[in-house]
Coordinates of all heavy atoms in Angstrom, one line a residue:
M1 N 3.1 -0.7 -15.6 CA 1.7 -0.6 -15.0 C 1.6 0.7 -14.3 O 2.5 1.1 -13.5 CB 1.6 -1.7 -14.0 CG 0.3 -1.8 -13.3 SD 0.1 -3.1 -12.1 CE 0.3 -4.5 -13.1
D2 N 0.5 1.4 -14.5 CA 0.2 2.7 -13.8 C -0.5 2.4 -12.5 O -0.9 1.3 -12.1 CB -0.5 3.7 -14.6 CG -1.9 3.3 -15.0 OD1 -2.5 2.5 -14.2 OD2 -2.3 3.7 -16.1
I3 N -0.5 3.5 -11.6 CA -1.0 3.3 -10.3 C -2.5 2.9 -10.3 O -2.9 2.0 -9.5 CB -0.9 4.6 -9.5 CG1 0.6 4.9 -9.3 CG2 -1.6 4.6 -8.2 CD1 0.9 6.3 -8.8
S4 N -3.3 3.5 -11.2 CA -4.7 3.1 -11.3 C -4.9 1.7 -11.6 O -5.8 1.0 -11.1 CB -5.5 4.0 -12.3 OG -5.5 5.3 -11.8
A5 N -4.1 1.2 -12.5 CA -4.3 -0.2 -13.0 C -3.9 -1.1 -11.8 O -4.7 -2.1 -11.6 CB -3.4 -0.5 -14.2
L6 N -2.9 -0.8 -11.1 CA -2.5 -1.6 -9.9 C -3.6 -1.6 -8.9 O -4.0 -2.6 -8.4 CB -1.2 -1.1 -9.3 CG -0.8 -1.8 -8.0 CD1 -0.6 -3.3 -8.2 CD2 0.5 -1.2 -7.5
Q7 N -4.1 -0.4 -8.6 CA -5.2 -0.3 -7.6 C -6.4 -1.1 -8.0 O -7.0 -1.7 -7.1 CB -5.5 1.2 -7.3 CG -6.4 1.3 -6.1 CD -6.6 2.8 -5.7 OE1 -6.0 3.7 -6.3 NE2 -7.3 3.0 -4.6
E8 N -6.7 -1.1 -9.2 CA -7.9 -1.8 -9.7 C -7.7 -3.3 -9.6 O -8.6 -4.1 -9.2 CB -8.3 -1.4 -11.1 CG -9.5 -2.1 -11.7 CD -10.8 -1.7 -10.9 OE1 -10.8 -0.7 -10.3 OE2 -11.7 -2.6 -10.9
I9 N -6.5 -3.8 -9.9 CA -6.2 -5.2 -9.7 C -6.3 -5.7 -8.3 O -7.0 -6.7 -7.9 CB -4.8 -5.6 -10.3 CG1 -4.7 -5.4 -11.8 CG2 -4.3 -6.9 -9.8 CD1 -3.3 -5.5 -12.4
V10 N -5.8 -4.8 -7.4 CA -5.9 -5.1 -6.0 C -7.3 -5.1 -5.5 O -7.7 -6.0 -4.7 CB -5.0 -4.1 -5.1 CG1 -5.3 -4.2 -3.6 CG2 -3.5 -4.3 -5.5
K11 N -8.1 -4.2 -6.0 CA -9.5 -4.1 -5.7 C -10.3 -5.4 -6.1 O -11.0 -5.9 -5.3 CB -10.2 -2.9 -6.3 CG -11.6 -2.6 -5.9 CD -12.0 -1.3 -6.5 CE -13.3 -0.8 -5.8 NZ -13.7 0.5 -6.3
Q12 N -10.0 -5.8 -7.4 CA -10.7 -7.0 -7.9 C -10.3 -8.2 -7.1 O -11.2 -9.1 -6.9 CB -10.4 -7.1 -9.4 CG -11.0 -6.1 -10.3 CD -12.5 -5.9 -10.1 OE1 -13.2 -6.9 -10.1 NE2 -12.9 -4.7 -10.1
R13 N -9.1 -8.3 -6.7 CA -8.6 -9.5 -6.1 C -8.9 -9.6 -4.6 O -9.1 -10.6 -4.1 CB -7.1 -9.5 -6.3 CG -6.5 -10.9 -6.0 CD -5.0 -11.0 -6.4 NE -4.8 -11.0 -7.8 CZ -3.6 -11.2 -8.4 NH1 -2.5 -11.3 -7.7 NH2 -3.6 -11.1 -9.8
Y14 N -8.8 -8.4 -3.9 CA -8.8 -8.5 -2.4 C -9.9 -7.7 -1.7 O -10.1 -7.9 -0.5 CB -7.5 -8.0 -1.9 CG -6.3 -8.7 -2.4 CD1 -5.4 -8.1 -3.3 CD2 -6.1 -10.0 -2.1 CE1 -4.3 -8.8 -3.7 CE2 -5.0 -10.7 -2.5 CZ -4.1 -10.1 -3.4 OH -3.0 -10.8 -3.8
F15 N -10.7 -6.9 -2.5 CA -11.6 -6.0 -1.8 C -12.6 -6.7 -1.0 O -12.9 -6.4 0.2 CB -12.3 -5.0 -2.8 CG -13.2 -4.0 -2.1 CD1 -12.6 -2.9 -1.6 CD2 -14.5 -4.2 -1.9 CE1 -13.4 -1.9 -0.9 CE2 -15.3 -3.3 -1.3 CZ -14.8 -2.2 -0.8
K16 N -13.3 -7.8 -1.4 CA -14.3 -8.4 -0.7 C -13.8 -9.0 0.6 O -14.4 -8.7 1.7 CB -14.9 -9.6 -1.6 CG -16.0 -10.3 -0.9 CD -16.5 -11.4 -1.8 CE -17.8 -12.1 -1.2 NZ -17.5 -12.8 0.0
T17 N -12.6 -9.7 0.5 CA -12.1 -10.2 1.8 C -11.6 -9.1 2.8 O -11.9 -9.2 4.0 CB -10.8 -11.1 1.4 OG1 -11.2 -12.1 0.5 CG2 -10.2 -11.7 2.7
D18 N -11.0 -8.1 2.2 CA -10.5 -7.0 3.1 C -11.7 -6.2 3.7 O -11.6 -5.8 4.9 CB -9.5 -6.1 2.4 CG -8.3 -6.8 1.9 OD1 -7.9 -7.8 2.6 OD2 -7.6 -6.4 1.0
N19 N -12.7 -6.0 2.8 CA -13.8 -5.3 3.4 C -14.5 -6.1 4.5 O -15.0 -5.5 5.5 CB -14.8 -5.0 2.2 CG -15.8 -3.9 2.6 OD1 -15.5 -2.9 3.1 ND2 -17.0 -4.3 2.2
E20 N -14.7 -7.4 4.3 CA -15.3 -8.2 5.4 C -14.4 -8.2 6.7 O -15.0 -8.2 7.7 CB -15.4 -9.6 4.9 CG -16.5 -9.7 3.8 CD -16.6 -11.1 3.1 OE1 -15.7 -12.0 3.5 OE2 -17.5 -11.3 2.3
R21 N -13.1 -8.1 6.5 CA -12.2 -8.1 7.7 C -12.3 -6.7 8.4 O -12.2 -6.7 9.6 CB -10.7 -8.3 7.2 CG -9.8 -8.3 8.4 CD -8.3 -8.2 7.9 NE -8.0 -9.3 7.0 CZ -7.7 -9.2 5.7 NH1 -7.7 -8.0 5.2 NH2 -7.4 -10.3 5.0
G22 N -12.5 -5.6 7.5 CA -12.6 -4.3 8.1 C -11.3 -3.6 8.1 O -10.2 -4.2 8.1
I23 N -11.4 -2.3 8.0 CA -10.2 -1.5 7.8 C -9.2 -1.5 9.0 O -8.0 -1.5 8.8 CB -10.5 0.0 7.4 CG1 -9.3 0.7 6.9 CG2 -11.2 0.7 8.6 CD1 -9.6 1.9 6.1
Y24 N -9.8 -1.6 10.2 CA -8.9 -1.7 11.4 C -7.9 -2.9 11.4 O -6.7 -2.7 11.4 CB -9.6 -1.6 12.7 CG -8.8 -1.7 13.9 CD1 -8.0 -0.7 14.4 CD2 -8.7 -3.0 14.6 CE1 -7.2 -0.8 15.4 CE2 -7.9 -3.1 15.7 CZ -7.1 -2.0 16.1 OH -6.3 -2.1 17.2
H25 N -8.5 -4.0 11.1 CA -7.7 -5.2 11.1 C -6.8 -5.3 9.8 O -5.7 -5.8 9.8 CB -8.5 -6.5 11.3 CG -9.0 -6.6 12.7 ND1 -10.3 -6.3 13.0 CD2 -8.4 -7.0 13.8 CE1 -10.4 -6.5 14.3 NE2 -9.3 -7.0 14.8
T26 N -7.3 -4.7 8.8 CA -6.5 -4.6 7.5 C -5.4 -3.7 7.7 O -4.2 -4.0 7.3 CB -7.4 -4.2 6.3 OG1 -8.5 -5.1 6.2 CG2 -6.6 -4.2 5.1
A27 N -5.5 -2.6 8.5 CA -4.4 -1.8 8.8 C -3.4 -2.5 9.6 O -2.2 -2.2 9.5 CB -4.9 -0.5 9.5
L28 N -3.8 -3.4 10.5 CA -2.8 -4.2 11.3 C -2.0 -5.0 10.4 O -0.8 -5.2 10.6 CB -3.5 -5.0 12.3 CG -4.2 -4.3 13.5 CD1 -4.9 -5.3 14.4 CD2 -3.3 -3.4 14.3
W29 N -2.6 -5.6 9.4 CA -1.8 -6.4 8.4 C -0.8 -5.5 7.7 O 0.3 -5.9 7.5 CB -2.8 -7.1 7.4 CG -3.4 -8.3 7.9 CD1 -4.7 -8.4 8.4 CD2 -2.9 -9.6 7.9 NE1 -4.9 -9.8 8.7 CE2 -3.9 -10.5 8.4 CE3 -1.6 -10.2 7.5 CZ2 -3.6 -11.9 8.6 CZ3 -1.4 -11.5 7.6 CH2 -2.4 -12.4 8.2
F30 N -1.2 -4.3 7.3 CA -0.3 -3.4 6.7 C 0.9 -3.1 7.6 O 2.0 -3.2 7.1 CB -1.1 -2.1 6.4 CG -0.2 -1.0 5.9 CD1 0.4 -1.0 4.6 CD2 0.1 0.1 6.7 CE1 1.2 0.0 4.2 CE2 0.9 1.1 6.3 CZ 1.4 1.1 5.0
H31 N 0.6 -2.9 8.8 CA 1.7 -2.6 9.7 C 2.6 -3.8 9.9 O 3.9 -3.6 10.1 CB 1.2 -2.1 11.1 CG 0.7 -0.7 11.1 ND1 1.5 0.4 11.2 CD2 -0.6 -0.2 10.9 CE1 0.8 1.5 11.1 NE2 -0.5 1.2 10.9
E32 N 2.1 -4.9 9.9 CA 2.9 -6.1 10.0 C 3.8 -6.2 8.8 O 5.1 -6.5 8.9 CB 2.1 -7.4 10.1 CG 2.9 -8.6 10.2 CD 2.1 -9.9 10.4 OE1 1.1 -9.9 11.1 OE2 2.4 -11.0 9.7
E33 N 3.3 -5.9 7.7 CA 4.2 -5.9 6.4 C 5.3 -4.8 6.5 O 6.4 -5.1 6.0 CB 3.3 -5.8 5.2 CG 2.4 -7.0 4.9 CD 3.1 -8.3 4.8 OE1 4.3 -8.3 4.5 OE2 2.4 -9.3 4.9
V34 N 4.9 -3.7 7.0 CA 6.0 -2.6 7.2 C 7.0 -3.1 8.1 O 8.3 -2.9 7.8 CB 5.3 -1.3 7.7 CG1 6.4 -0.3 8.1 CG2 4.4 -0.7 6.7
G35 N 6.7 -3.9 9.1 CA 7.7 -4.5 10.0 C 8.6 -5.5 9.4 O 9.8 -5.5 9.5
E36 N 7.9 -6.3 8.5 CA 8.7 -7.3 7.8 C 9.7 -6.6 6.8 O 10.8 -7.1 6.6 CB 7.8 -8.2 7.0 CG 7.0 -9.2 7.9 CD 6.0 -10.0 7.2 OE1 5.9 -9.9 6.0 OE2 5.3 -10.8 7.9
L37 N 9.2 -5.5 6.2 CA 10.1 -4.8 5.3 C 11.3 -4.2 6.0 O 12.5 -4.3 5.6 CB 9.3 -3.7 4.5 CG 10.2 -2.7 3.7 CD1 10.9 -3.5 2.6 CD2 9.3 -1.6 3.1
S38 N 11.0 -3.6 7.1 CA 12.1 -3.0 8.0 C 13.1 -4.1 8.4 O 14.3 -3.9 8.3 CB 11.5 -2.4 9.3 OG 10.6 -1.3 8.9
S39 N 12.6 -5.3 8.7 CA 13.5 -6.4 9.1 C 14.3 -6.8 7.9 O 15.6 -7.1 8.0 CB 12.7 -7.6 9.6 OG 12.1 -7.3 10.8
A40 N 13.7 -6.9 6.8 CA 14.5 -7.3 5.5 C 15.5 -6.3 5.2 O 16.7 -6.6 4.8 CB 13.5 -7.5 4.4
I41 N 15.2 -5.0 5.3 CA 16.2 -3.9 5.1 C 17.3 -4.0 6.1 O 18.5 -3.9 5.7 CB 15.5 -2.5 5.1 CG1 14.6 -2.3 3.9 CG2 16.5 -1.4 5.2 CD1 13.7 -1.1 4.0
A42 N 17.0 -4.2 7.3 CA 18.0 -4.3 8.4 C 18.9 -5.5 8.2 O 20.1 -5.4 8.5 CB 17.3 -4.4 9.7
S43 N 18.4 -6.5 7.7 CA 19.2 -7.8 7.5 C 20.1 -7.7 6.2 O 21.0 -8.5 6.0 CB 18.3 -9.0 7.3 OG 17.6 -9.0 6.1
G44 N 19.7 -6.7 5.3 CA 20.5 -6.6 4.0 C 20.1 -7.6 3.1 O 20.7 -7.8 2.0
D45 N 19.1 -8.4 3.3 CA 18.5 -9.4 2.3 C 17.7 -8.7 1.3 O 16.5 -8.5 1.4 CB 17.7 -10.4 3.1 CG 17.3 -11.6 2.2 OD1 17.3 -11.5 0.9 OD2 16.9 -12.6 2.8
K46 N 18.4 -8.4 0.1 CA 17.7 -7.7 -0.9 C 16.6 -8.4 -1.6 O 15.5 -7.8 -1.9 CB 18.7 -7.2 -2.0 CG 18.2 -6.2 -3.0 CD 19.3 -5.6 -3.8 CE 18.7 -4.6 -4.8 NZ 19.7 -3.9 -5.6
E47 N 16.7 -9.7 -1.7 CA 15.7 -10.5 -2.3 C 14.4 -10.5 -1.4 O 13.2 -10.4 -1.9 CB 16.1 -12.0 -2.6 CG 16.8 -12.1 -3.9 CD 16.1 -11.6 -5.1 OE1 14.9 -12.0 -5.4 OE2 16.6 -10.7 -5.9
N48 N 14.6 -10.7 -0.1 CA 13.5 -10.7 0.8 C 12.9 -9.3 0.8 O 11.7 -9.1 0.8 CB 13.9 -11.1 2.2 CG 12.8 -11.1 3.2 OD1 12.9 -10.7 4.3 ND2 11.7 -11.7 2.8
A49 N 13.8 -8.2 0.8 CA 13.3 -6.8 0.8 C 12.4 -6.6 -0.5 O 11.3 -5.9 -0.3 CB 14.4 -5.9 0.8
K50 N 12.8 -7.1 -1.6 CA 12.0 -6.9 -2.8 C 10.6 -7.5 -2.6 O 9.6 -6.8 -3.0 CB 12.7 -7.7 -3.9 CG 12.2 -7.4 -5.3 CD 13.0 -8.2 -6.3 CE 12.5 -8.1 -7.7 NZ 13.3 -8.8 -8.7
E51 N 10.5 -8.6 -2.0 CA 9.2 -9.2 -1.8 C 8.3 -8.4 -0.8 O 7.1 -8.1 -1.0 CB 9.3 -10.6 -1.2 CG 8.0 -11.3 -0.9 CD 8.2 -12.7 -0.4 OE1 9.2 -13.3 -0.6 OE2 7.3 -13.2 0.4
E52 N 9.0 -7.9 0.2 CA 8.3 -7.1 1.2 C 7.9 -5.7 0.7 O 6.9 -5.2 1.2 CB 9.2 -7.0 2.6 CG 9.5 -8.3 3.2 CD 8.3 -9.1 3.5 OE1 7.2 -8.6 3.7 OE2 8.4 -10.3 3.7
F53 N 8.7 -5.1 -0.1 CA 8.3 -3.9 -0.7 C 7.0 -4.1 -1.5 O 6.1 -3.3 -1.4 CB 9.3 -3.4 -1.8 CG 10.4 -2.6 -1.2 CD1 11.7 -2.9 -1.2 CD2 10.1 -1.3 -0.6 CE1 12.7 -2.2 -0.7 CE2 11.2 -0.5 -0.1 CZ 12.5 -0.9 -0.1
A54 N 6.8 -5.2 -2.2 CA 5.6 -5.5 -2.9 C 4.5 -5.7 -1.9 O 3.4 -5.2 -2.1 CB 5.8 -6.7 -3.8
D55 N 4.7 -6.4 -0.9 CA 3.7 -6.7 0.2 C 3.1 -5.4 0.7 O 1.9 -5.2 0.8 CB 4.2 -7.5 1.3 CG 4.4 -9.0 1.0 OD1 3.9 -9.4 0.0 OD2 5.0 -9.7 1.8
V56 N 4.0 -4.5 1.1 CA 3.7 -3.2 1.6 C 2.8 -2.4 0.6 O 1.7 -1.8 1.0 CB 4.9 -2.4 2.1 CG1 4.5 -0.9 2.4 CG2 5.5 -3.1 3.3
L57 N 3.3 -2.4 -0.6 CA 2.5 -1.6 -1.6 C 1.1 -2.2 -1.8 O 0.1 -1.5 -1.9 CB 3.3 -1.7 -3.0 CG 2.7 -0.9 -4.1 CD1 2.5 0.5 -3.7 CD2 3.6 -1.0 -5.3
M58 N 1.0 -3.6 -1.9 CA -0.4 -4.2 -2.0 C -1.3 -3.8 -0.9 O -2.4 -3.5 -1.1 CB -0.2 -5.7 -2.2 CG 0.5 -6.2 -3.4 SD 0.0 -5.4 -5.0 CE 1.5 -4.9 -5.6
W59 N -0.7 -3.9 0.3 CA -1.6 -3.6 1.5 C -1.9 -2.1 1.5 O -3.0 -1.7 2.0 CB -0.9 -4.1 2.8 CG -1.0 -5.5 2.9 CD1 -0.1 -6.5 2.7 CD2 -2.1 -6.3 3.4 NE1 -0.5 -7.8 2.9 CE2 -1.8 -7.6 3.4 CE3 -3.4 -5.9 3.9 CZ2 -2.7 -8.6 3.8 CZ3 -4.3 -7.0 4.3 CH2 -3.9 -8.3 4.2
L60 N -1.0 -1.2 1.1 CA -1.3 0.2 1.0 C -2.5 0.4 0.0 O -3.4 1.2 0.3 CB -0.1 0.9 0.6 CG -0.2 2.5 0.4 CD1 -0.5 3.1 1.8 CD2 1.0 3.1 -0.2
M61 N -2.4 -0.3 -1.1 CA -3.5 -0.2 -2.1 C -4.8 -0.6 -1.6 O -5.8 -0.1 -1.8 CB -3.1 -0.9 -3.4 CG -2.0 -0.2 -4.2 SD -2.5 1.3 -4.8 CE -1.0 1.9 -5.5
T62 N -4.8 -1.7 -0.8 CA -6.0 -2.2 -0.3 C -6.6 -1.3 0.7 O -7.8 -1.1 0.8 CB -5.8 -3.7 0.2 OG1 -7.0 -4.5 -0.1 CG2 -5.5 -3.8 1.7
L63 N -5.8 -0.7 1.5 CA -6.3 0.3 2.5 C -6.9 1.5 1.7 O -8.0 2.0 2.1 CB -5.2 0.8 3.4 CG -4.7 -0.2 4.5 CD1 -3.5 0.4 5.2 CD2 -5.9 -0.5 5.5
A64 N -6.3 2.0 0.7 CA -6.8 3.0 -0.1 C -8.2 2.6 -0.7 O -9.1 3.4 -0.7 CB -5.8 3.4 -1.2
N65 N -8.3 1.4 -1.2 CA -9.5 0.9 -1.7 C -10.6 0.9 -0.6 O -11.8 1.3 -0.8 CB -9.4 -0.4 -2.3 CG -8.7 -0.5 -3.6 OD1 -8.8 0.6 -4.4 ND2 -8.0 -1.5 -4.0
L66 N -10.3 0.5 0.5 CA -11.3 0.4 1.6 C -11.8 1.9 2.0 O -12.9 2.0 2.5 CB -10.7 -0.3 2.9 CG -10.5 -1.8 2.7 CD1 -9.9 -2.4 3.9 CD2 -11.9 -2.5 2.5
M67 N -10.9 2.8 1.8 CA -11.3 4.2 2.2 C -11.7 4.9 0.9 O -12.0 6.2 1.0 CB -10.1 4.9 2.8 CG -9.8 4.4 4.2 SD -8.9 5.5 5.2 CE -10.1 6.8 5.5
D68 N -11.8 4.2 -0.2 CA -12.3 4.9 -1.5 C -11.4 6.1 -1.8 O -11.9 7.1 -2.2 CB -13.7 5.3 -1.4 CG -14.3 5.5 -2.8 OD1 -13.8 5.0 -3.8 OD2 -15.3 6.3 -2.9
V69 N -10.1 5.9 -1.7 CA -9.1 6.9 -2.0 C -8.5 6.5 -3.3 O -8.0 5.4 -3.5 CB -8.0 7.1 -1.0 CG1 -6.8 7.9 -1.5 CG2 -8.6 7.6 0.3
N70 N -8.5 7.4 -4.3 CA -7.8 7.2 -5.6 C -6.4 7.6 -5.5 O -6.0 8.7 -5.4 CB -8.6 8.1 -6.7 CG -8.0 7.8 -8.1 OD1 -6.8 7.8 -8.3 ND2 -8.8 7.7 -9.0
M71 N -5.5 6.5 -5.6 CA -4.1 6.7 -5.3 C -3.5 7.5 -6.4 O -2.4 8.2 -6.2 CB -3.4 5.4 -5.0 CG -3.7 4.8 -3.7 SD -3.3 5.9 -2.3 CE -1.5 5.8 -2.4
E72 N -3.9 7.3 -7.7 CA -3.4 8.1 -8.8 C -3.6 9.6 -8.5 O -2.6 10.4 -8.6 CB -4.2 7.8 -10.0 CG -3.6 8.4 -11.3 CD -2.6 7.4 -12.0 OE1 -2.8 6.1 -12.0 OE2 -1.6 7.9 -12.5
E73 N -4.8 10.0 -8.0 CA -5.0 11.4 -7.7 C -4.2 11.8 -6.4 O -3.6 12.9 -6.4 CB -6.5 11.6 -7.4 CG -7.4 11.4 -8.6 CD -8.9 11.5 -8.3 OE1 -9.2 11.8 -7.1 OE2 -9.7 11.3 -9.2
A74 N -4.1 10.9 -5.4 CA -3.4 11.3 -4.2 C -1.9 11.5 -4.5 O -1.3 12.5 -4.0 CB -3.5 10.1 -3.2
V75 N -1.3 10.6 -5.4 CA 0.1 10.8 -5.7 C 0.3 12.0 -6.5 O 1.3 12.8 -6.3 CB 0.6 9.5 -6.4 CG1 2.0 9.8 -7.0 CG2 0.6 8.4 -5.5
A76 N -0.6 12.3 -7.4 CA -0.5 13.6 -8.3 C -0.5 14.8 -7.4 O 0.2 15.7 -7.5 CB -1.6 13.5 -9.3
A77 N -1.5 14.8 -6.4 CA -1.6 15.9 -5.5 C -0.3 16.1 -4.7 O 0.2 17.2 -4.4 CB -2.8 15.7 -4.6
Y78 N 0.2 15.0 -4.3 CA 1.5 15.0 -3.5 C 2.6 15.7 -4.4 O 3.3 16.5 -3.9 CB 1.9 13.6 -3.0 CG 3.2 13.6 -2.3 CD1 3.1 13.5 -0.8 CD2 4.4 13.5 -2.9 CE1 4.3 13.4 -0.1 CE2 5.6 13.5 -2.1 CZ 5.5 13.4 -0.7 OH 6.6 13.4 0.0
L79 N 2.7 15.2 -5.6 CA 3.9 15.6 -6.4 C 3.7 17.0 -6.8 O 4.7 17.7 -7.1 CB 4.0 14.7 -7.6 CG 4.4 13.3 -7.4 CD1 4.4 12.4 -8.7 CD2 5.8 13.3 -6.7
N80 N 2.5 17.6 -6.8 CA 2.2 18.9 -7.2 C 2.2 19.9 -6.0 O 1.9 21.1 -6.1 CB 1.0 19.1 -8.0 CG 1.1 18.4 -9.4 OD1 2.1 18.6 -10.1 ND2 0.1 17.7 -9.8
N81 N 2.4 19.3 -4.8 CA 2.3 20.1 -3.6 C 3.7 20.7 -3.3 O 4.6 20.0 -3.0 CB 1.8 19.3 -2.5 CG 1.6 20.1 -1.2 OD1 2.2 21.2 -1.0 ND2 0.9 19.5 -0.3
P82 N 3.9 22.1 -3.4 CA 5.2 22.6 -3.1 C 5.7 22.3 -1.7 O 6.9 22.3 -1.5 CB 5.0 24.1 -3.4 CG 3.6 24.4 -3.5 CD 2.9 23.0 -3.7
R83 N 4.8 22.1 -0.8 CA 5.3 21.8 0.6 C 5.9 20.4 0.7 O 6.6 20.1 1.7 CB 4.1 21.9 1.6 CG 3.6 23.3 1.8 CD 2.4 23.3 2.8 NE 1.3 22.6 2.4 CZ 0.7 21.6 3.0 NH1 1.2 21.1 4.2 NH2 -0.3 20.9 2.5
K84 N 5.8 19.6 -0.4 CA 6.4 18.2 -0.3 C 7.7 18.3 -0.9 O 8.4 17.2 -1.1 CB 5.5 17.2 -1.0 CG 4.1 17.2 -0.4 CD 4.1 16.6 1.0 CE 2.7 16.4 1.5 NZ 2.6 15.8 2.9
L85 N 8.2 19.4 -1.4 CA 9.6 19.4 -2.1 C 10.6 19.2 -1.0 O 10.4 19.6 0.2 CB 9.7 20.7 -2.8 CG 8.8 21.0 -4.0 CD1 9.0 22.4 -4.5 CD2 9.2 19.9 -5.1
P86 N 11.8 18.7 -1.4 CA 12.8 18.5 -0.4 C 13.3 19.8 0.1 O 13.3 20.9 -0.5 CB 14.0 17.8 -1.2 CG 13.6 17.9 -2.6 CD 12.1 18.3 -2.7
T87 N 13.7 19.8 1.4 CA 14.2 21.0 2.0 C 15.7 21.0 1.9 O 16.4 20.1 1.7 CB 13.9 21.1 3.5 OG1 14.3 19.9 4.1 CG2 12.3 21.2 3.7
K88 N 16.2 22.2 1.9 CA 17.7 22.4 1.7 C 18.5 22.0 3.0 O 18.1 22.1 4.0 CB 18.0 23.8 1.2 CG 17.5 24.1 -0.1 CD 17.8 25.5 -0.5 CE 17.1 25.8 -1.9 NZ 17.3 27.2 -2.4
Ligands
LIG1 MG1 5.5 -9.8 4.0

């Protein structure tokens, strides 16, 4: 699945609810999921971490949808930005 396809699925499934909630409160949900991912990583529970990685990605996509950001384009711009290359 490519990034655009995933973003579209998230949009179709969650945009109405997330838009009604508003971006501020949706961002709080995203942060909660980042915390859950951090806890899963810290605990070493790989199965739980797998679920939390997906949660974080879905909430990230929904935030991008609320801000009308095309993540396919954003990721391409990131990967083509020489300032984003690893430092020595
Ligand atoms: Mg979670």
Side-chain angles (χ1 to χ4, degrees):
M1 178 183 300
D2 64 31
I3 294 170
S4 290
L6 173 61
Q7 188 168 3
E8 185 60 29
I9 289 169
V10 171
K11 188 175 195 175
Q12 295 301 320
R13 192 173 292 185
Y14 302 112
F15 184 83
K16 183 179 183 299
T17 303
D18 294 336
N19 193 45
E20 288 170 358
R21 181 188 306 109
I23 194 162
Y24 176 75
H25 287 102
T26 301
L28 292 179
W29 279 99
F30 170 74
H31 284 276
E32 180 174 319
E33 294 299 343
V34 171
E36 290 176 1
L37 174 59
S38 298
S39 294
I41 291 169
S43 74
D45 183 343
K46 192 170 181 177
E47 277 305 306
N48 183 226
K50 186 176 175 181
E51 180 181 336
E52 299 304 338
F53 273 116
D55 284 350
V56 167
L57 182 58
M58 297 308 135
W59 285 98
L60 180 68
M61 289 293 175
T62 218
L63 287 173
N65 283 333
L66 289 175
M67 293 199 68
D68 196 26
V69 169
N70 181 312
M71 287 300 291
E72 189 92 37
E73 292 174 5
V75 169
Y78 180 97
L79 292 175
N80 289 317
N81 185 342
R83 291 183 296 121
K84 302 293 185 181
L85 292 172
T87 56
K88 292 181 182 173

